[in-house]
Amino acid sequence: MTDPTLISPAAVTPRAMSPQEATAAAASVLDAVETAVVGKRESLELVLTGILAGGHVLLEDLPGLGKTLAARSFAQALGLPFKRAQFTPDLLPADLTGAEVFDQRTGEFVFRPGPVFTGLLLADEINRTPPKTQSALLEAMQERQVSVEGTTRMLPNPFHVLATANPIEHEGTYPLPEAQLDRFLLRLSFGYPTAAQEWEVVSRRIDRRREEQIVPEVLDAAGLLGVQQAVEDVHVEDSVGHYAVELTAATRSHQHALVGASPRGTLALITCARALAVIRGRSYVVPEDIKALAHPALDHRVTVKPELWLQNATGAGVVEAVLGQVPVPAAIEPVPQASA
């Protein structure tokens, strides 16, 4: 029996794709986004990896380095509804999830959905809002639903969050709780462009004679779900899976770690490695995929001992150390099974 307090949106049927079609679709998305974001192919590849793995991505970097532009460009290329929520110190949870509003014409309460009801949500400067509002995003990110006035409403599928955050030492920011950080599959940064890349940004702006940029749509919601289904067919050799487990476990026993990465970190490594394999044109995961994702998937899941903060000990340092300690298995290409 259907729960009367549960409201679900219309379902989107995934479009079936072969591994080759999924790889071509991923390449088309990256090519489209690169028409707006200059010189960040590797970082954009990781953002797409998090989306194809079905999760959310945190972009933590200095202002003005293209984080918001990248999020909007991905929404346009993927053909997803896009909304932007500017997180400020006075943002309330209802401003994000929506609220029941009394309609004087009908004499009834009507639900007005917040920006979280979309395909791709840009949570801009997420660490500028207090923890109460940050936590309002937790249910949406993990459960793909929001509860307002006793009614649970499912979010659209696909639903992804690309959040941006300024470095914590900036004035007016709040540290993200560990529970919320753990909800992000990947955390990464773009960094400053080279001189040539920066001039390319300026040159493109001069040529197009306007500020806004439009990215061509190369996929839609059904296509994105189809690529995500293709990711689920990627083979993970036991030795590669054990390598990911050992890397994560090693962060827990490192001498600088107060708290190491949880099993969710291992799941993030494996699910993202499968997505990265699709992007790179393979139907199987190799150890290099795990190594490429170790920092984006594990750094934010490691907490170092407080007494080591003055020594600049970081989660990234712990992950770098275990990458040098854990033996890397040989890459094994699976043998295709003969058809009956």
Side-chain angles (χ1 to χ4, degrees):
M1 183 176 178
T2 303
D3 185 351
T5 64
L6 178 63
I7 299 177
S8 299
V12 177
T13 303
R15 184 183 308 123
M17 286 192 183
S18 67
Q20 294 77 17
E21 290 173 331
T23 297
S28 298
V29 170
L30 288 173
D31 290 342
V33 174
E34 274 199 315
T35 62
V37 183
V38 177
K40 302 296 180 183
R41 181 80 178 198
E42 185 176 338
S43 296
L44 296 176
E45 191 177 71
L46 291 176
V47 174
L48 184 59
T49 294
I51 294 174
L52 297 187
H56 315 288
V57 180
L58 176 63
L59 306 175
E60 189 173 88
D61 217 330
L62 296 167
L65 295 182
K67 303 184 296 296
T68 301
L69 175 61
R72 185 181 294 108
S73 299
F74 269 111
Q76 293 174 349
L78 294 169
L80 298 179
F82 174 76
K83 290 183 181 177
R84 176 179 180 265
Q86 181 64 52
F87 281 63
T88 57
D90 59 350
L91 188 74
L92 300 176
D95 296 330
L96 189 65
T97 61
E100 298 278 356
V101 179
F102 184 73
D103 189 338
Q104 293 184 342
R105 293 174 299 177
T106 62
E108 298 178 346
F109 282 92
V110 178
F111 178 72
R112 289 189 178 176
V116 76
F117 286 88
T118 187
L120 193 148
L121 172 68
L122 170 60
D124 213 1
E125 297 185 304
I126 190 173
N127 60 339
R128 287 191 61 222
T129 203
K132 185 175 182 179
T133 304
Q134 291 176 4
S135 65
L137 198 57
L138 277 178
E139 183 185 16
M141 291 173 61
Q142 187 66 23
E143 307 297 335
R144 312 292 174 120
Q145 64 184 33
V146 295
S147 299
V148 179
E149 300 294 335
T151 301
T152 300
R153 291 175 169 82
M154 302 300 298
L155 296 177
N157 186 32
F159 167 73
H160 298 280
V161 174
L162 293 185
T164 70
N166 294 330
I168 201 61
E169 58 268 16
H170 276 217
E171 185 177 354
T173 58
Y174 299 81
L176 286 176
E178 286 79 2
Q180 186 162 345
L181 274 176
D182 206 31
R183 262 45 173 202
F184 289 101
L185 270 185
L186 302 175
R187 183 183 70 174
L188 51 102
S189 62
F190 286 170
Y192 283 111
T194 64
Q197 291 168 349
E198 193 163 355
W199 169 244
E200 179 67 18
V201 172
V202 176
S203 178
R204 290 187 184 185
R205 169 63 182 86
I206 294 172
D207 291 341
R208 68 175 177 270
R209 302 175 64 86
R210 66 182 188 277
E211 184 63 32
E212 66 275 9
Q213 301 186 65
I214 299 176
V215 170
E217 179 181 325
V218 297
L219 268 184
D220 55 15
L224 174 57
L225 292 176
V227 178
Q228 290 176 342
Q229 282 194 348
V231 168
E232 295 297 328
D233 296 328
V234 173
H235 175 75
V236 181
E237 186 69 27
D238 287 350
S239 60
V240 177
H242 286 299
Y243 176 56
V245 171
E246 291 167 7
L247 272 178
T248 308
T251 65
R252 303 167 198 158
S253 59
H254 192 274
Q255 59 182 351
H256 290 171
L258 177 65
V259 179
S262 69
R264 189 180 279 135
T266 308
L267 287 171
L269 271 179
I270 295 297
T271 54
C272 289
R274 297 172 87 186
L276 188 59
V278 168
I279 293 173
R280 294 180 174 177
R282 278 182 277 100
S283 60
Y284 58 94
V285 175
V286 297
E288 284 68 27
D289 297 328
I290 302 294
K291 293 175 69 175
L293 291 161
H295 283 293
L298 299 181
D299 285 0
H300 61 292
R301 293 183 163 92
V302 176
T303 303
V304 298
K305 296 176 180 177
E307 60 267 25
L308 298 175
W309 290 351
L310 293 178
Q311 301 177 25
N312 291 325
T314 61
V318 172
V319 173
E320 187 65 29
V322 301
L323 279 171
Q325 295 169 0
V326 178
V328 182
I332 301 175
E333 183 174 355
V335 177
Q337 295 183 354
S339 57

